[in-house]
Structures are given as C-alpha cells and as structure tokens.
Amino acid sequence: MDVDALKARACAAIDEQAGALVELSQRIHAHPELAFHETQAAAWLAEYLRGRRFDVTVGIAGLPTAFRAVAGTGSPAVAILAEYDALPVAVAPVPVVAGGRLTSLAERGLL
C-alpha cells in the first residue's frame, strides 16, 4: 500500500468536492440546531453522501441524528466524527439584553 498515493487520491477527491462541501457547511451554519436535535443538518449530510454513492444508515446508536455512511471495502478505513450542534448564546455584548438566538460554536468555522 503506497500511503503517499492514497493521500494524494484523498486530497484530490476532497478538492473536487470543495465547492459542494463549503456550500453544505455554510447551509448547516445558517440553520443552527441544538444538540441531539440536528435533524435538518443530519438529513442534509446523509443526502450529500447518498448522492455520492455512500450507503447511509440513519439512527445508529439509538440517536436519530447519528448515521453511518459506507463506501467501498478493504483498507484503509476512514472514520469521521463531526460535532455541528449549535449553542444558545446571547446576541448582544455585555450587558446582555432580553432575547437571544442560536449560533454555531465557531462563527466562521467550516465543518
């Protein structure tokens, strides 16, 4: 197994999907959901992966927002754990005024 060749293949595949991945990340960021309620984000991610021939199983580990996506067989195997839930925070700087909204943990971050 030529590790450098595998890395180059992986990087090329990611670069090929860069536009779609950034759009997906920005869509999730624009529609924040609290922990264990990320139903729309999970659906968008599953849809993206199914569209790229992944076999997606939703609702694993007893969590409706958790899923497993599998493509191919053999080695190497790659696993990704993503946290994309929002946190409830106040909008205004100190002093905090009544009201608030949801925002992602990293205002400018990408998944």
Side-chain angles (χ1 to χ4, degrees), residues 6 13-15 22 24 32-34 41-42 44-45 59 67 80-81 102:
L6 287 172
I14 293 167
D15 288 346
V22 168
L24 178 59
E33 299 171 286
L34 291 174
W44 286 331
L45 289 163
F67 62 88
I80 298 172
L81 169 66
L102 297 176

Side-chain angles (χ1 to χ4, degrees), residues 70-81:
V70 178
T73 60
S75 295
V78 177
I80 298 172
L81 169 66

Side-chain angles (χ1 to χ4, degrees), residues 32-67:
E33 299 171 286
L34 291 174
F36 302 109
H37 298 281
E38 312 97 323
T39 55
Q40 186 60 69
W44 286 331
L45 289 163
E47 175 187 353
Y48 173 85
L49 293 166
R50 283 188 186 106
R52 280 131 189 101
R53 298 183 304 230
F54 280 76
D55 179 23
V56 179
T57 305
V58 296
I60 65 166
L63 298 171
T65 57
F67 62 88

